[in-house]
Amino acid sequence: MMVVFTVLAALMLATVYSQEVEETITYTQCTDGYEWDPLMQRCKDIDECEIVPDACKGGMKCVNHFGGYLCLPRTAQIIVNNGQEEPASETTSGRNGNPITRRTPADHVQSQIQCAAGYEASAHNVCQDVNECETTNPCAQLCYNVVGSFLCQCNQGFELSPDRINCGDVDECRASNFICQYQCVNEPGRYSCLCPDGYQLVRGRNCQDINECEVGHECREDEMCWNYHGGYRCYPKNPCQEPYMLASENRCGLFYSRCVCPLSNPLCRDLPYSIVHKYMSIRSDRTVPSDIFQIQATTIYANTINTFRIKSGNENGDFFLRQTSSVSAMLVLVKPLTGPREHIIDLELLTVNSMNYRTSSVLRLTLIVGPYAF
């Protein structure tokens, strides 16, 4: 009986031992990206960046991630959370009442990726470009988004400040001395040109003389209107003074009057036979030397000699009279004149014949110099 009991006890112990071995089960299979650590008795992450040859292409850097890896720009800043959760365990009772512990792989803790300036983490924890122009619009005027950053530009008439954000006005008037013919006025983002009195703006920058005689400026009935560069003047229609008498006048744009001294009048014997009044205008600071006016004999006699000279009005030597033919001469400006200024110049034609007969006539030229060089 003793032997039987011993054998029976041994069989019972063997049965119990066999059941406990079957019930103590340890899981050693892990999901993709993990491998079983027999020492820690848990699944641990695989570092693909170490074992996968050339894991990332195109100059991207490899960053190991729980259960996988990421390929990110080399400028990206990464903070990895190395904290891990304890393996989850499930305890149940075996057939003999002893507790059975079933170990399962621990769920990995996802790290929060930190991106470089100009990037932000997406819902998939990947760095993506931030469109600063839509989120914060940091530029003072025009904003253009680029990958990882932004560019600021300015509207026409402005330039980018050293901070590359703000815009400063461009002073076009200071940048160019020739942008306006007369005066440049700088304004925020633009400029405008002005003209002096007597002129009007044309083509945005040039100044053109206004013909006041045609736009409503009137003189008295006994006067004629004479327009010059930058203004106008009224002159008498009959400029003749005793003993001269008005012989003819022209009102078709030439504006000259001819005064004649009758030979029957004893006072006319030592005076020029006729005085013709003419008017002309030139701009200030005209280039010299410059031909400005031609005088010509209107009546030609046989066997006569014509001589031309400046009789008066050239005290400063501003003019020179050059004879161009036997019946004509050219008035030459030899010094630059600055206006506004009026010159009255008497140009004399002296005629002498073989019988020692002589006569003379005068062309009285009223020369108005405008105040500007345009």
Side-chain angles (χ1 to χ4, degrees):
M1 290 295 296
M2 189 64 178
V3 174
V4 174
F5 177 77
T6 302
V7 173
L8 182 59
L11 289 175
M12 290 179 62
L13 288 174
T15 301
V16 172
Y17 177 78
S18 175
Q19 288 179 348
E20 287 184 353
V21 170
E22 290 179 359
E23 291 295 338
T24 306
I25 300 174
T26 301
Y27 289 88
T28 60
Q29 292 183 350
C30 302
T31 58
D32 291 341
Y34 293 85
E35 63 182 357
W36 180 254
D37 186 347
L39 180 63
M40 299 296 295
Q41 291 291 299
R42 60 185 297 178
C43 290
K44 69 176 183 179
D45 177 59
I46 298 174
D47 190 347
E48 291 85 356
C49 295
E50 294 290 336
I51 64 175
V52 177
D54 198 14
C56 294
K57 308 287 186 181
M60 304 289 279
K61 69 178 180 180
C62 181
V63 178
N64 186 56
H65 192 56
F66 288 101
Y69 65 96
L70 300 174
C71 292
L72 299 177
R74 293 195 174 277
T75 57
Q77 298 179 0
I78 308 299
I79 296 178
V80 178
N81 183 3
N82 290 322
Q84 297 178 349
E85 293 181 356
E86 291 297 325
S89 60
E90 181 182 356
T91 303
T92 59
S93 299
R95 293 178 183 178
N96 58 358
N98 295 326
I100 300 176
T101 302
R102 304 178 185 272
R103 294 186 178 91
T104 60
D107 293 335
H108 66 270
V109 179
Q110 184 178 11
S111 64
Q112 180 62 41
I113 190 171
Q114 182 172 347
C115 303
Y119 296 86
E120 64 182 357
S122 68
H124 301 288
N125 207 28
V126 176
C127 290
Q128 64 182 10
D129 176 58
V130 176
N131 190 338
E132 295 87 352
C133 300
E134 292 183 355
T135 57
T136 60
N137 193 16
C139 301
Q141 291 185 359
L142 304 178
C143 182
Y144 296 93
N145 184 63
V146 296
V147 177
S149 186
F150 61 92
L151 292 177
C152 296
Q153 291 188 4
C154 302
N155 296 318
Q156 185 176 1
F158 295 86
E159 60 184 356
L160 205 59
S161 300
D163 60 8
R164 315 303 295 174
I165 297 293
N166 294 299
C167 295
D169 177 55
V170 176
D171 190 344
E172 296 87 353
C173 300
R174 180 176 297 180
S176 174
N177 295 327
F178 306 101
I179 196 170
C180 295
Q181 191 172 36
Y182 175 65
Q183 182 179 355
C184 181
V185 178
N186 185 61
E187 301 174 12
R190 60 186 299 272
Y191 71 94
S192 59
C193 296
L194 298 180
C195 292
D197 293 339
Y199 293 85
Q200 59 186 353
L201 191 66
V202 292
R203 294 187 294 275
R205 66 172 299 273
N206 296 324
C207 294
Q208 184 181 69
D209 176 56
I210 298 173
N211 190 340
E212 290 86 354
C213 297
E214 296 181 352
V215 295
H217 293 276
E218 298 182 356
C219 299
R220 299 196 311 262
E221 284 189 15
D222 60 342
E223 293 178 329
M224 63 179 181
C225 181
W226 171 253
N227 180 72
Y228 66 91
H229 297 288
Y232 75 101
R233 291 190 182 181
C234 296
Y235 292 106
K237 292 180 180 179
N238 182 8
C240 304
Q241 298 178 356
E242 292 291 343
Y244 289 91
M245 300 176 59
L246 182 64
S248 64
E249 62 177 328
N250 191 312
R251 303 181 184 178
C252 299
L254 298 178
F255 298 116
Y256 72 90
S257 301
R258 184 167 181 262
C259 302
V260 176
C261 195
L263 295 177
S264 59
N265 190 335
L267 298 176
C268 294
R269 293 177 183 176
D270 298 325
L271 297 176
Y273 171 70
S274 65
I275 300 178
V276 177
H277 293 264
K278 287 198 173 183
Y279 307 89
M280 73 171 296
S281 173
I282 65 173
R283 297 178 177 88
S284 183
D285 297 322
R286 183 165 175 168
T287 303
V288 294
S290 178
D291 296 347
I292 60 173
F293 188 82
Q294 180 174 319
I295 180 174
Q296 185 170 345
T298 57
T299 304
I300 302 175
Y301 300 97
N303 301 319
T304 59
I305 299 175
N306 297 311
T307 304
F308 299 89
R309 72 184 180 113
I310 301 176
K311 186 176 182 179
S312 64
N314 193 31
E315 291 75 16
N316 296 325
D318 299 321
F319 307 95
F320 170 75
L321 192 62
R322 183 183 74 249
Q323 190 158 342
T324 55
S325 72
S326 60
V327 293
S328 64
M330 179 66 69
L331 182 66
V332 181
L333 178 67
V334 295
K335 293 181 180 180
L337 300 177
T338 302
R341 186 177 178 184
E342 182 182 84
H343 292 266
I344 299 178
I345 310 161
D346 281 355
L347 306 177
E348 184 180 44
L349 167 61
L350 180 64
T351 303
V352 179
N353 64 10
S354 57
M355 302 299 293
N356 203 26
Y357 169 79
R358 59 178 293 171
T359 184
S360 68
S361 61
V362 171
L363 188 147
R364 181 161 293 168
L365 177 63
T366 300
L367 179 65
I368 302 177
V369 183
Y372 307 102
F374 47 81

